[in-house]
Amino acid sequence: MNTFGSNFRFTSFGESHGVAVGGVVDGCPAGLCVDFDMIDRDLARRRGDGLSGTTARKEADKVEWLSGLLDGLTLGTPIAFAIKNGDARSGDYENLRDCFRPSHADYTYQQRYGIRDYRGGGRASGRETAARVVAGCIAKQLLHQRGISIKAEAVVGGERADETSGGVVSCVIEGVPSGVGNPIFGRVNAMLASAMLSIPSAVGFEIGEGFASARMTGREYADAWNEPSGNTPLTATNHCGGVQGGITNGMPIVFSVAFHPVVTHTGATECLTADGTLREVDVKGRHDRCHVLRCPVIVEAMAAMVIADLILKG
Amino acid sequence: MNTFGSNFRFTSFGESHGVAVGGVVDGCPAGLCVDFDMIDRDLARRRGDGLSGTTARKEADKVEWLSGLLDGLTLGTPIAFAIKNGDARSGDYENLRDCFRPSHADYTYQQRYGIRDYRGGGRASGRETAARVVAGCIAKQLLHQRGISIKAEAVVGGERADETSGGVVSCVIEGVPSGVGNPIFGRVNAMLASAMLSIPSAVGFEIGEGFASARMTGREYADAWNEPSGNTPLTATNHCGGVQGGITNGMPIVFSVAFHPVVTHTGATECLTADGTLREVDVKGRHDRCHVLRCPVIVEAMAAMVIADLILKG
Amino acid sequence: MNTFGSNFRFTSFGESHGVAVGGVVDGCPAGLCVDFDMIDRDLARRRGDGLSGTTARKEADKVEWLSGLLDGLTLGTPIAFAIKNGDARSGDYENLRDCFRPSHADYTYQQRYGIRDYRGGGRASGRETAARVVAGCIAKQLLHQRGISIKAEAVVGGERADETSGGVVSCVIEGVPSGVGNPIFGRVNAMLASAMLSIPSAVGFEIGEGFASARMTGREYADAWNEPSGNTPLTATNHCGGVQGGITNGMPIVFSVAFHPVVTHTGATECLTADGTLREVDVKGRHDRCHVLRCPVIVEAMAAMVIADLILKG
Amino acid sequence: MNTFGSNFRFTSFGESHGVAVGGVVDGCPAGLCVDFDMIDRDLARRRGDGLSGTTARKEADKVEWLSGLLDGLTLGTPIAFAIKNGDARSGDYENLRDCFRPSHADYTYQQRYGIRDYRGGGRASGRETAARVVAGCIAKQLLHQRGISIKAEAVVGGERADETSGGVVSCVIEGVPSGVGNPIFGRVNAMLASAMLSIPSAVGFEIGEGFASARMTGREYADAWNEPSGNTPLTATNHCGGVQGGITNGMPIVFSVAFHPVVTHTGATECLTADGTLREVDVKGRHDRCHVLRCPVIVEAMAAMVIADLILKG
């Protein structure tokens, strides 16, 4: 539901215009010296500081640490944190109380719960990902200690900030040893896919050649072994993206995530109402034009939590 | 690891050339009258009966039911079953004992466990999916009772049986009411992605427009509401594939899965050996040329388990 | 680890002298109107307000609600809350930094994590139970709506506040319908046992006749059926405590929990040190003489979470 | 539900008079050389071979291994096994089809599922514990490799085989290092309590002094440190039973389990019927007079699974 992972376990909470978003990280090993500046930098990447076309909402994103730390070191106990919601203009959303915007979670949340926080998307808002970035950055730091690095970037999308579009984020994880992962339902690729599709607006995942491999032959797709020697990579190519049978082979893990475009627009929007009619509503609030540029750090955060979860399984 | 789902829970076991593959279904409601013929038909679809280019291995796939049934009705207790492995020519694999074929799970299993069943792919073989088909068919029957149907087909791949290629399987789930799913990490799309990427050789997942949406604008992507009336679908288009904010909106759930081509070929193959050298090995065994035609029933099985799991959550 | 339950799921966080204790309740149905006064009253019961012999530490126990609520109604999303630690005299514990008191968790936490918050017991302190009382009270309110009540009281212990002793808390749950629970590993009694033994200083659990039944014969133990009629209880006796085969029979659920005495004393205490010697330490801090009187509300909280978890399973 | 543990995970299946009882062990490390004779010996202990007063049902308890093994070594993949039910006289139970015996799970299963296997107790029968003994014996072997031993015996009950009574089984686990366990909800004592109360007819659990500690003072209960030296135990006494704050301290883990007496008697028994009347039924079948003598090996099996689960957590 709102918990991700089993060994490195993250529980997320918070609504966009509630008191706070935040989370609890359970299972982080004791003795990690947390780099709080790195967390702040990742939060700045998520906010899109300096990017045009990203949200006008300005949040300080000050992380309040509630537990699990002593003198900056993790205790092995749950690390709880909260980020207060500051710049929330809830009044902007009053006319959405009984209206469901098209292609939003307004309608589905109402159907699921019979009630929803209609202000700024509530729980479905991208604001929730701030908590993931914090937890994911702790996971990254844990992985850095073990020589594992994660780097994501937008490879499609964001070219023109004046027009909303979706995009694709590509991610490479380096340094994961071979033999990590669990076959069948705990495959690395299955866990990554689940993690990525849990990001708001994510609609696709592929590993290695992904959808392109559908038109390749077996001979084209096969990754031939290199002659083993000290520095030579295991295989000559990496079509499989570093995972075979759900388990890492030691090559870089390479995957991509597709995001649909932002569908929120300011202005007149035809909405469905709670009483089953259509109504034109003047939608306010502050929305991204292109959110894909803000997504790489979220992709990294989720990827880091997946790998930390697997590595800690022992 | 080898268990999928939380409410409708399936535990899979078995190696390709061991005694049996099989599984345990836990959480299936009591009182379901099991249609054993439908299970046999789905197993025949998985075997690819009548298709050229699929495996020469001929298995009777006789399901032995071990528990959880009384007079053909489910008891609400665990349903265990086993499918004995009959037509296994294990001797074919003797020369692979210490050799790792390229682009197989041979090497990664060895790295993960320090031991592996080298005969016919062992646990990593597609043979394990027979157990999924059985469990998934029980889930399908549960869903049929509730008016939910699932249909998958190969949309790319399998055109020419004389040449190995990957493919894409597209799947539509109809009849799922709105309000099903759990936001954040239990999103319908995240669960489907995880389920699909757990299928051997699956390398990609997309829902609705998927990767194509990366180049769409928000206005193109948005699904406008239809004027509500008795028989009219909720929205004029279904770019989102039936899921918004991770929760169903009542429209058909539409997704696709990409599969890489079969990389096993009979004949001389350069393998990595356990002592770190390359060696040409004469690979025997019986392999698919095009396995994608056998995948739709597996996609359906996994999809059925996901939806059953969600529906039973209440 | 720090999460309890699967449908009504509670994640606990916090150290005794850290910033806060608190938790996240996930899975609470939407639309519950929270009675905050009832929560405050339960917190007062846990503090032992008005009891002699209980802790001198005075906490306001003001609950800060962070998410999951709108206008006092639950949203179905995670309910996060924090209770700041106010009256913490951390300096009292400075001389315990490298010392392990006898019969405390000081030594075992150090062995487990290689680091610990030595102030006031850290994570192992009874302070953590404040968070359980909050979450448990939400569960109680959910159950009240369904006609289920839970009442615990100390039946042994607390008679003389001038002398430290352990005790026994007895609990009765009324109104649970028959047919609740899951056989084998999800038995109601197994879940209650696990919940109760998770309370600090709990060392025993019994249901119905419990340990006394070891000396009863089958004829003495059997609960004869009453002649069925409108108001007659199902059985003439209730030796089984309302659970048979792990599933409720509709009779009151009756169980007891044993607590060992408080082993913390102010004054000279022989401690083990980190360098492996014994040392007499002047232990300060503020401790209960008899904590058993404060335990019933915690037993109720944990019982409520167990029953809510089972009821929500559907 | 029917799965126990998270790292060493056991899924149980089977009804007393169905085709088989059995299970799947998932998470057992690869490379363990299984001692099948030891498993047979434990199954013989469970059958009570040679004891008077135990069941007249004679089962061969031949274990059929279905997966997860190669040449007697574990592969790290799921180990599935089945034990066929041979000596089942199902006809004996025909008159119980619509009747619920007192103090059995007949009524509660019917309420829970609306259907039940009425033959020999069905899923609720003690027969299911044969599967636990197999899985638990694998866990024991894993622990033996790590120097951990488990020994249980009946300390109350079974003195006179001519009269049915309940009993108490006491268990000692030696060799578990300090620092094993997880605080709060994953406490060793909470896990043991849950495991023990999952055994049919178990109604109580206590660790260390348990219920007796309720009347002890803090000074009596405290376990003083011994002066550290090579062979000296950590503490002079072991009132806490080897666990503090939910984590082991390296002393023996000592606990007891109470069992209620067998309530099944052959002969005229007043039963509740499905149509809500009382009826005298001639109960047949073969039942223990004193089952407590058969319980120690089951207690050991469950304890072994708990400790294996904790040790494998890493």
Side-chain angles (χ1 to χ4, degrees):
Chain A
M1 308 208 272
N2 294 282
T3 297
F4 185 83
S6 49
N7 299 288
F8 187 95
R9 192 183 323 201
F10 170 57
T11 298
S12 161
F13 65 79
E15 283 78 34
S16 178
H17 289 227
V19 175
V21 296
V24 183
V25 173
D26 196 6
C28 182
L32 179 74
C33 181
V34 177
D35 180 342
F36 298 102
D37 289 341
M38 181 176 167
I39 293 171
D40 286 340
R41 285 195 301 273
D42 269 4
L43 285 169
R45 289 173 67 198
R46 196 202 70 91
R47 281 195 304 272
D49 286 4
L51 294 174
S52 65
T54 54
T55 184
R57 178 170 169 176
K58 291 300 168 216
E59 287 287 1
D61 283 347
K62 182 175 160 38
V63 184
E64 185 179 0
W65 300 94
L66 298 172
S67 69
L69 298 170
L70 185 65
D71 302 333
L73 293 174
T74 57
L75 286 164
T77 58
I79 304 167
F81 61 90
I83 306 170
K84 295 284 168 62
N85 293 317
D87 185 24
R89 300 193 200 147
S90 303
D92 284 1
Y93 296 91
E94 199 55 41
N95 59 359
L96 287 177
R97 189 189 275 268
D98 299 312
C99 288
F100 313 125
R101 293 165 295 177
S103 286
H104 281 73
D106 299 351
Y107 174 76
T108 56
Y109 265 65
Q110 189 73 33
Q111 294 296 101
R112 171 73 172 81
Y113 297 108
I115 183 178
R116 76 183 206 282
D117 188 344
Y118 57 91
R119 304 166 305 170
R123 181 75 180 137
S125 164
R127 173 95 186 115
E128 178 266 341
T129 59
R132 304 197 201 192
V133 166
V134 173
C137 192
I138 294 173
K140 274 188 201 175
Q141 295 178 27
L142 201 64
L143 297 177
H144 283 189
Q145 282 193 332
R146 289 160 167 82
I148 297 169
S149 67
I150 301 178
K151 188 83 199 82
E153 60 178 333
V155 293
V156 176
E159 294 84 357
R160 290 170 43 187
D162 60 343
E163 186 184 336
T164 304
S165 77
V168 174
V169 170
S170 180
C171 184
V172 180
I173 309 175
E174 295 195 273
V176 180
S178 64
V180 171
N182 294 293
I184 314 303
F185 304 119
R187 286 165 194 258
V188 174
N189 31 350
M191 289 177 68
L192 284 172
S194 169
M196 296 308 144
L197 267 292
S198 79
I199 301 174
S201 83
V203 289
F205 169 87
E206 59 182 8
I207 187 159
E209 294 289 343
F211 279 86
S213 66
R215 297 195 184 279
M216 296 167 77
T217 65
R219 289 189 195 281
E220 289 165 351
Y221 185 80
D223 295 312
W225 302 111
N226 276 328
E227 184 76 42
S229 85
N231 295 319
T232 315
L234 186 74
T235 55
T237 52
N238 188 17
H239 298 308
C240 74
V243 179
Q244 278 159 338
I247 303 173
T248 59
N249 66 1
M251 294 288 289
I253 301 171
V254 183
F255 65 89
S256 296
V257 188
F259 293 91
H260 70 63
V262 171
V263 286
T264 316
H265 293 274
T266 305
T269 304
E270 194 163 60
C271 293
L272 182 67
T273 66
D275 56 14
T277 59
L278 298 188
R279 183 194 308 166
E280 198 156 280
V281 177
D282 183 22
V283 171
K284 294 171 193 150
R286 292 153 296 168
H287 313 292
D288 279 292
R289 270 169 302 174
C290 184
H291 66 315
V292 175
L293 300 176
R294 298 171 62 194
C295 289
V297 71
I298 305 168
V299 166
E300 290 177 10
M302 293 306 301
M305 286 196 267
V306 166
I307 302 299
D309 198 46
L310 285 165
I311 294 278
L312 291 176
K313 197 158 287 188
Chain B
M1 308 207 273
N2 294 283
T3 298
F4 186 82
S6 49
N7 300 289
F8 187 96
R9 192 183 323 200
F10 170 58
T11 299
S12 162
F13 65 79
E15 283 77 36
S16 178
H17 288 228
V19 175
V21 296
V24 183
V25 172
D26 196 6
C28 182
L32 179 74
C33 180
V34 177
D35 180 341
F36 298 102
D37 289 341
M38 182 176 167
I39 293 171
D40 287 340
R41 286 195 301 274
D42 270 3
L43 284 169
R45 288 173 67 199
R46 195 202 71 91
R47 280 195 305 272
D49 286 5
L51 293 175
S52 65
T54 54
T55 183
R57 177 169 169 177
K58 290 302 169 215
E59 287 286 1
D61 283 347
K62 182 174 160 40
V63 184
E64 185 180 359
W65 300 94
L66 298 172
S67 69
L69 299 169
L70 185 65
D71 303 333
L73 293 174
T74 58
L75 288 165
T77 57
I79 304 165
F81 61 91
I83 306 170
K84 295 284 168 61
N85 293 318
D87 185 25
R89 300 194 200 146
S90 304
D92 284 1
Y93 297 91
E94 199 55 41
N95 59 357
L96 287 177
R97 190 189 274 269
D98 298 311
C99 289
F100 313 125
R101 293 165 295 176
S103 287
H104 281 73
D106 299 350
Y107 175 75
T108 56
Y109 266 65
Q110 189 72 34
Q111 294 295 100
R112 171 73 171 80
Y113 296 108
I115 184 178
R116 76 183 208 283
D117 189 343
Y118 58 89
R119 303 166 305 170
R123 181 74 180 139
S125 163
R127 173 98 187 113
E128 177 266 340
T129 60
R132 305 196 201 192
V133 165
V134 173
C137 192
I138 295 173
K140 273 188 200 174
Q141 295 178 28
L142 200 65
L143 297 177
H144 283 189
Q145 283 193 333
R146 290 161 166 80
I148 298 169
S149 67
I150 302 179
K151 187 82 198 84
E153 61 178 334
V155 293
V156 176
E159 294 83 357
R160 290 171 44 188
D162 59 343
E163 185 184 339
T164 303
S165 77
V168 174
V169 170
S170 180
C171 184
V172 180
I173 309 173
E174 295 196 273
V176 180
S178 64
V180 171
N182 294 292
I184 312 305
F185 303 119
R187 286 165 194 257
V188 174
N189 31 350
M191 289 177 67
L192 285 171
S194 169
M196 296 308 144
L197 267 291
S198 79
I199 302 174
S201 82
V203 289
F205 170 88
E206 60 182 8
I207 188 160
E209 295 289 342
F211 278 86
S213 66
R215 297 194 184 277
M216 296 168 77
T217 65
R219 289 188 195 282
E220 289 165 351
Y221 185 81
D223 295 312
W225 301 112
N226 276 328
E227 185 76 41
S229 85
N231 295 320
T232 315
L234 186 75
T235 55
T237 51
N238 188 18
H239 299 306
C240 74
V243 179
Q244 279 159 338
I247 303 173
T248 59
N249 66 1
M251 294 288 288
I253 301 171
V254 183
F255 65 88
S256 296
V257 188
F259 293 90
H260 70 63
V262 171
V263 285
T264 316
H265 292 275
T266 304
T269 304
E270 195 164 59
C271 293
L272 183 66
T273 66
D275 55 13
T277 59
L278 297 187
R279 183 193 309 165
E280 199 155 278
V281 177
D282 183 23
V283 171
K284 294 170 192 150
R286 292 153 296 169
H287 313 292
D288 280 292
R289 270 168 304 176
C290 184
H291 66 314
V292 175
L293 300 176
R294 299 170 63 194
C295 289
V297 72
I298 305 168
V299 166
E300 291 176 11
M302 293 307 301
M305 287 197 266
V306 167
I307 302 299
D309 198 46
L310 286 165
I311 294 278
L312 292 176
K313 199 158 287 188
Chain C
M1 309 208 272
N2 294 282
T3 298
F4 185 83
S6 48
N7 299 289
F8 186 96
R9 193 183 324 200
F10 170 58
T11 298
S12 161
F13 64 78
E15 283 79 34
S16 178
H17 289 227
V19 175
V21 295
V24 183
V25 173
D26 196 6
C28 182
L32 178 74
C33 180
V34 177
D35 180 342
F36 298 103
D37 289 341
M38 181 176 167
I39 292 170
D40 287 339
R41 286 195 300 273
D42 270 3
L43 285 169
R45 288 173 67 198
R46 195 202 70 92
R47 281 195 304 272
D49 287 4
L51 293 174
S52 66
T54 54
T55 184
R57 178 169 168 176
K58 292 301 167 213
E59 286 286 1
D61 283 347
K62 181 171 161 40
V63 183
E64 186 178 0
W65 300 95
L66 298 172
S67 69
L69 297 170
L70 185 65
D71 303 332
L73 293 174
T74 57
L75 287 164
T77 57
I79 305 166
F81 61 91
I83 306 171
K84 295 284 169 61
N85 293 318
D87 185 24
R89 299 194 201 147
S90 303
D92 284 1
Y93 297 91
E94 198 56 41
N95 58 359
L96 288 177
R97 189 188 275 268
D98 298 312
C99 289
F100 313 126
R101 293 166 294 177
S103 286
H104 280 72
D106 299 350
Y107 175 76
T108 55
Y109 265 66
Q110 190 72 32
Q111 294 295 101
R112 171 73 171 81
Y113 297 108
I115 184 178
R116 76 184 208 281
D117 188 343
Y118 58 90
R119 303 166 305 169
R123 182 76 180 135
S125 164
R127 174 98 187 113
E128 177 266 341
T129 60
R132 304 197 201 191
V133 165
V134 173
C137 193
I138 294 173
K140 274 188 201 175
Q141 296 178 27
L142 201 64
L143 297 177
H144 284 189
Q145 282 192 334
R146 288 161 167 81
I148 297 169
S149 67
I150 301 178
K151 187 82 197 83
E153 61 177 335
V155 292
V156 175
E159 294 83 356
R160 289 170 45 187
D162 59 343
E163 187 184 335
T164 304
S165 77
V168 174
V169 170
S170 181
C171 184
V172 180
I173 309 174
E174 295 195 274
V176 180
S178 64
V180 171
N182 294 294
I184 314 303
F185 303 119
R187 287 166 193 256
V188 174
N189 31 350
M191 289 177 67
L192 285 172
S194 169
M196 296 307 143
L197 266 293
S198 81
I199 302 174
S201 81
V203 288
F205 169 87
E206 59 182 7
I207 188 159
E209 294 290 343
F211 278 86
S213 66
R215 298 194 185 276
M216 295 169 77
T217 66
R219 288 188 196 282
E220 288 165 351
Y221 185 81
D223 295 311
W225 301 112
N226 277 328
E227 185 76 43
S229 86
N231 295 320
T232 314
L234 185 74
T235 54
T237 51
N238 189 17
H239 298 308
C240 75
V243 178
Q244 279 159 339
I247 303 174
T248 58
N249 66 2
M251 294 288 289
I253 301 170
V254 183
F255 65 88
S256 295
V257 188
F259 293 91
H260 71 62
V262 171
V263 285
T264 316
H265 293 274
T266 305
T269 303
E270 195 164 60
C271 293
L272 182 67
T273 66
D275 55 15
T277 59
L278 298 188
R279 183 194 307 166
E280 198 155 278
V281 177
D282 183 23
V283 171
K284 295 171 193 149
R286 291 153 297 168
H287 313 293
D288 280 292
R289 270 169 303 174
C290 184
H291 67 314
V292 174
L293 300 177
R294 300 170 62 192
C295 289
V297 71
I298 304 168
V299 166
E300 291 177 10
M302 292 307 301
M305 286 196 267
V306 167
I307 303 299
D309 198 47
L310 286 165
I311 294 279
L312 292 175
K313 199 156 286 186
Chain D
M1 309 208 272
N2 294 283
T3 298
F4 185 83
S6 48
N7 300 290
F8 186 96
R9 194 184 322 200
F10 170 58
T11 298
S12 161
F13 64 78
E15 284 77 36
S16 177
H17 289 226
V19 175
V21 296
V24 183
V25 172
D26 196 6
C28 182
L32 179 74
C33 180
V34 177
D35 180 342
F36 298 103
D37 289 341
M38 182 176 167
I39 292 171
D40 287 339
R41 285 195 301 272
D42 270 2
L43 285 168
R45 288 173 68 199
R46 195 202 70 90
R47 282 194 305 273
D49 286 5
L51 293 174
S52 66
T54 55
T55 184
R57 177 169 170 178
K58 291 301 167 215
E59 287 286 1
D61 284 347
K62 182 174 160 39
V63 184
E64 187 179 359
W65 300 95
L66 299 171
S67 68
L69 297 170
L70 185 65
D71 302 333
L73 294 174
T74 57
L75 286 165
T77 58
I79 303 166
F81 60 91
I83 306 171
K84 295 286 169 60
N85 294 317
D87 185 25
R89 300 193 200 148
S90 303
D92 284 0
Y93 296 91
E94 199 54 42
N95 59 358
L96 287 177
R97 190 188 273 271
D98 297 313
C99 289
F100 313 125
R101 293 165 295 176
S103 287
H104 281 73
D106 298 350
Y107 174 77
T108 55
Y109 265 66
Q110 190 72 34
Q111 294 295 101
R112 172 72 171 81
Y113 297 109
I115 184 178
R116 77 183 206 284
D117 188 343
Y118 58 89
R119 304 166 305 171
R123 181 76 180 136
S125 164
R127 174 100 187 111
E128 176 266 340
T129 60
R132 304 196 202 192
V133 166
V134 173
C137 192
I138 294 173
K140 274 188 203 177
Q141 295 178 28
L142 201 63
L143 297 178
H144 283 188
Q145 282 193 332
R146 289 160 166 82
I148 297 169
S149 66
I150 302 178
K151 187 82 197 83
E153 60 177 335
V155 292
V156 176
E159 293 83 357
R160 290 171 42 187
D162 59 344
E163 186 184 336
T164 303
S165 76
V168 174
V169 171
S170 181
C171 185
V172 180
I173 310 173
E174 296 194 273
V176 180
S178 64
V180 171
N182 294 292
I184 314 304
F185 303 120
R187 287 165 192 257
V188 174
N189 33 348
M191 288 177 68
L192 285 172
S194 169
M196 296 307 143
L197 267 292
S198 81
I199 301 174
S201 83
V203 289
F205 170 87
E206 59 182 8
I207 188 161
E209 294 290 343
F211 278 87
S213 66
R215 297 195 185 277
M216 294 168 78
T217 65
R219 289 188 196 281
E220 289 164 351
Y221 184 82
D223 294 312
W225 302 111
N226 277 327
E227 185 75 42
S229 85
N231 295 320
T232 314
L234 186 73
T235 54
T237 52
N238 189 17
H239 298 307
C240 74
V243 179
Q244 280 159 338
I247 303 173
T248 58
N249 66 2
M251 293 288 288
I253 301 172
V254 183
F255 65 88
S256 296
V257 188
F259 292 91
H260 70 63
V262 171
V263 286
T264 316
H265 292 275
T266 305
T269 304
E270 195 164 59
C271 292
L272 182 67
T273 66
D275 55 14
T277 58
L278 297 189
R279 183 194 308 166
E280 198 154 279
V281 178
D282 183 23
V283 171
K284 294 172 194 148
R286 291 153 296 168
H287 313 292
D288 280 291
R289 270 170 301 174
C290 185
H291 67 314
V292 175
L293 299 177
R294 299 170 64 194
C295 289
V297 71
I298 306 167
V299 166
E300 291 176 11
M302 293 306 301
M305 286 196 267
V306 167
I307 303 299
D309 197 46
L310 285 165
I311 294 279
L312 292 175
K313 198 158 285 188

